[in-house]
Amino acid sequence: MGSRGNSFRALRSVPFRWYFAGQVASASGTFLQQTAVGWLVLQLTGSASALGLVLAVGGLPPLLFGPWGGNIADRFDLRRLLIVTQALNGLLAAVLWVLATSGHAGVPLVVAVSVLGGIVGIVDSPARQAFVGSLVPPEDLSSAVSLNGVVMNTARVVGPALAGVLIVAVGVIPCFLVNAVSYLAVIAALLVIKPLGAARHTAKAGGVADAIRYARGREQVFVPLAMMSLVGLLAFNFAVVLPVLAKQTFHGDGGTYGLLSTVLSIGSIAGSLGVGLIKHPRRIYLVRAAFVFGVAMIAVALSPGVLTASIALLVTGAAAFAFTTLASTTIQLHTAPEYRGRVMALWVFVYIGTTPIGSVLTGWISGWGGPRAALLAGAAACLVAALAAFRVKTPPNPDAALHDLPIPAAAR
């Protein structure tokens, strides 16, 4: 675990190990609920467009106010801030379970919970991204970011798989209770964690506008943000595409949807772990990952059945989340600590905050031309992003962009 090239070297840090364990449980519950909500809405409406609209509303708060969440993350103790946001998310899941159990499991309830969850996420998402940097030494940051991606991608395996079992065995509603309970794990971890570094920095003046200027002046930050803004808009809407692909194209049930989601997530874990082996992210890695992502999505779109689609989704997951982890690692490594909350808020904005627009577009494309057409549109976005990034010149040595950061003692 002590090797510089080991994907797991960040686990040498005790605080990071606690955080890692808590996030696995909590994130698994989150994706379990997301899977259950998607299936519930499809059952209630039978419409891919309606599913896209319902999933979109949760992203409206981050879309409108997401970049400003980084201002809060840069000014408050991140550990305490995360305890509050995680508790609020758990409460929302519990409320959804209680009301659904009482017979109010309708679309308006799902919309309300999604909007409130989106409001909490304005602060929670950039705070979680920035908090990781305070749990490990600087030389292990790339490993920590990679493993943080593995946490989410492991959750994408466990959550949908468990949701598929629960939906078939006992129905959709118990999934909401499981998610509510899962937040207790991450709250317990946060209560005992003692960060290695400062979990709060003295933020530079200027707010969001200053963070945008900061990002624009650094290619190693701006290019990944620009690529994700396009790829995230059309290619990362699996929550909209996969339920429709499972039910309408392959004529399956909740188990089929869970299978497709699970194989996508297994590939994503492999992709994230692979990035952890890289000493320093390079532009060409981002380009290659985006290109393979696009080609794999084309393969999914052309798949004649569940088996071939599952194989193609395995590759899709690996490429998609190798790309995501590379981009996130690059941004964090090239951002000064006092800007990290706001810059990561910009990252969350282009990755998640564009969900309302992307979900609506993907739902509309699926309703018009089917899920295969939506997959092809996402593939085109990946290929365009790869081509554009390939044509942008970058310094021969990415470390040239680190001139404004302190050099770790171990690197001197």
Side-chain angles (χ1 to χ4, degrees):
M1 206 181 325
S3 171
R4 286 180 57 85
N6 194 311
S7 296
F8 300 94
R9 64 188 183 276
L11 292 175
R12 295 178 299 181
S13 165
V14 174
F16 184 78
R17 287 204 298 269
W18 278 107
Y19 183 75
F20 185 89
Q23 281 292 305
V24 167
S26 176
S28 296
T30 298
F31 285 105
L32 180 149
Q33 178 166 303
Q34 183 183 84
T35 303
V37 165
W39 194 254
L40 174 64
V41 171
L42 202 58
Q43 283 182 329
L44 293 173
T45 65
S47 168
S49 298
L51 174 60
L53 287 170
V54 170
L55 293 178
V57 296
L60 281 176
L63 175 65
L64 297 174
F65 307 108
W68 284 268
N71 288 341
I72 299 175
D74 278 338
R75 286 169 169 80
F76 289 89
D77 181 89
L78 293 175
R79 187 180 68 89
R80 295 178 180 178
L81 190 62
L82 286 172
I83 290 173
V84 173
T85 58
Q86 295 298 295
L88 290 174
N89 281 328
L91 179 62
L92 287 174
V95 168
L96 179 58
W97 172 69
V98 170
L99 294 179
T101 301
S102 65
H104 297 87
V107 172
L109 172 64
V110 175
V111 169
V113 171
S114 296
V115 171
L116 291 173
I119 292 173
V120 175
I122 292 173
V123 177
D124 181 70
S125 294
R128 282 190 288 108
Q129 297 279 345
F131 186 57
V132 172
S134 68
L135 302 179
V136 296
E139 62 269 19
D140 289 342
L141 180 59
S142 61
S143 171
V145 174
S146 171
L147 288 174
N148 195 46
V150 171
V151 168
M152 301 307 294
N153 295 326
T154 300
R156 292 175 190 272
V157 175
V158 177
L162 182 56
V165 172
L166 290 176
I167 290 172
V168 172
V170 295
V172 171
I173 295 175
C175 296
F176 308 142
L177 175 61
V178 174
N179 183 39
V181 173
S182 73
Y183 281 100
L184 297 177
V186 71
I187 292 173
L190 288 168
L191 288 172
V192 301
I193 283 175
K194 293 182 179 180
L196 299 181
R200 174 175 60 186
H201 300 282
T202 302
K204 297 290 186 181
V208 175
D210 191 39
I212 293 174
R213 285 193 294 269
Y214 181 90
R216 287 183 60 186
R218 291 156 178 80
E219 282 185 330
Q220 297 304 112
V221 176
F222 174 74
V223 172
L225 285 172
M227 293 179 74
M228 181 53 76
S229 66
L230 178 59
V231 173
L233 186 66
L234 291 173
F236 269 95
N237 298 301
F238 297 113
V240 178
V241 174
L242 292 188
V244 185
L245 189 70
K247 187 171 185 177
Q248 296 182 4
T249 302
F250 297 140
H251 308 291
D253 56 13
T256 307
Y257 175 32
L259 172 64
L260 296 179
S261 299
T262 298
V263 295
L264 175 74
S265 301
I266 291 173
S268 69
I269 292 174
S272 295
L273 284 174
V275 173
L277 297 172
I278 297 173
K279 181 179 178 181
H280 196 103
R282 307 287 175 176
R283 175 72 54 77
I284 191 61
Y285 299 157
L286 272 175
V287 172
R288 290 171 179 170
F291 177 78
V292 176
F293 185 10
V295 172
M297 288 192 74
I298 293 174
V300 177
L302 300 179
S303 295
V306 175
L307 178 60
T308 52
S310 297
I311 296 172
L313 279 170
L314 197 66
V315 180
T316 300
F321 291 94
F323 167 76
T324 302
T325 307
L326 278 166
S328 177
T329 302
T330 300
I331 292 170
Q332 291 214 45
L333 286 174
H334 293 82
T335 301
E338 59 268 27
Y339 281 97
R340 192 166 292 149
R342 281 168 289 171
V343 171
M344 294 316 295
L346 295 177
W347 163 255
V348 173
F349 175 73
V350 299
Y351 183 23
I352 300 174
T354 55
T355 296
I357 301 173
S359 294
V360 171
L361 286 174
T362 301
W364 179 80
I365 294 171
S366 294
W368 170 72
R372 298 183 190 275
L375 288 165
L376 290 174
C382 294
L383 297 177
V384 169
L387 177 61
F390 181 75
R391 295 178 63 86
V392 173
K393 293 182 179 180
T394 188
N397 179 7
D399 291 335
L402 290 169
H403 60 81
D404 62 324
L405 300 183
I407 300 175
R412 293 194 182 109

